[in-house]
Amino acid sequence: MATSSTPLPSTTSTFQFPSTYSFPPFFTPQPNSSTRLSQLRKWSSLIQSWCRHHRIYRLSLIEAIESPLFNNAALRKRLSLSDARTVLDWMAEGEEDTGGGKRAEWVDVGNKTVAWIWWRRPEEWAGVLADWVEGTGQKNMVLTVYELLEGEATASQEWHGMDPEVMFKSLNVLVKRGKAQVFGSEGQEGVKFF
């Protein structure tokens, strides 16, 4: 299961960094407010793409700060821990001007060292799950959360192997919408879809 916060090797392809990653000023906070906003958007996009590619849901800044995500060895440039935290703070505030919503959420609000990275927000995952339920005729069926995360029927789905906490956040969206019910004890939860 891909719940690790460290980058996992991709079995399909090498991650392709955007061209701005090779531009040294990308790693230095820009003083001009419009340039800074553009820089924050580009960092947000890069972090989301990186996490999606490596199937990372929970990003540890302490581990990631040394990874190629924040450290361009070829340029000998890196984003500092403080600057990386600032980018994630901005992602957690939401991108209202773009209608994008929050793309990060601190797991440890006090320390700000681990964050959920929403390359798909729980509301988006809920929509993907609802579409799958509809498309596969799973309405009024009971599935275990384990089946959703690790079952053969979901092996081809993007959420297969998802961090269980992200799955529960997504299922809770469906519960609030009246499209699912979660029941059972911890580790043996079931879900009925409506």
Side-chain angles (χ1 to χ4, degrees), residues 2-6 43-61 64 69-70 84-93 95 100-108 112-125 158 162-163 165-167 169-170:
T3 60
S4 173
S5 56
T6 53
W43 270 111
S44 175
S45 178
L46 171 58
I47 292 166
Q48 290 173 63
S49 296
W50 170 270
C51 289
R52 181 179 204 150
H53 180 83
H54 293 290
R55 301 188 48 76
I56 296 170
Y57 299 91
R58 186 190 316 228
L59 184 71
S60 165
L61 279 182
L69 173 60
F70 294 119
R85 190 173 284 127
T86 298
V87 171
L88 290 179
D89 275 338
W90 184 82
M91 291 172 66
E93 290 171 7
E95 303 172 40
K102 294 179 181 184
R103 288 297 175 180
E105 179 182 337
W106 290 109
V107 173
D108 59 342
K112 294 188 177 183
T113 59
V114 180
W116 294 112
I117 302 299
W118 302 128
W119 41 277
R120 278 194 199 252
R121 293 185 309 278
E123 297 81 8
E124 293 168 314
W125 282 119
E158 190 177 19
M162 168 188 281
D163 185 298
E165 286 187 57
V166 177
M167 177 59 78
K169 287 176 180 284
S170 304

Side-chain angles (χ1 to χ4, degrees), residues 3-103:
T3 60
S4 173
S5 56
T6 53
L8 302 174
S10 173
T11 57
T12 56
S13 65
T14 303
F15 182 77
Q16 295 296 314
F17 284 95
S19 59
T20 54
Y21 183 78
S22 298
F23 187 55
F26 184 56
F27 292 85
T28 304
Q30 297 300 303
N32 178 286
S33 61
S34 62
T35 305
R36 179 65 173 155
L37 180 59
S38 175
Q39 182 183 39
L40 289 167
R41 285 182 179 143
K42 288 175 183 173
W43 270 111
S44 175
S45 178
L46 171 58
I47 292 166
Q48 290 173 63
S49 296
W50 170 270
C51 289
R52 181 179 204 150
H53 180 83
H54 293 290
R55 301 188 48 76
I56 296 170
Y57 299 91
R58 186 190 316 228
L59 184 71
S60 165
L61 279 182
I62 305 303
E63 294 172 18
I65 205 70
E66 297 301 325
S67 76
L69 173 60
F70 294 119
N71 184 6
N72 185 327
L75 290 179
R76 294 179 163 187
K77 296 293 267 180
R78 69 174 51 221
L79 205 60
S80 71
L81 181 61
S82 173
D83 290 339
R85 190 173 284 127
T86 298
V87 171
L88 290 179
D89 275 338
W90 184 82
M91 291 172 66
E93 290 171 7
E95 303 172 40
E96 285 80 18
D97 60 326
T98 62
K102 294 179 181 184
R103 288 297 175 180

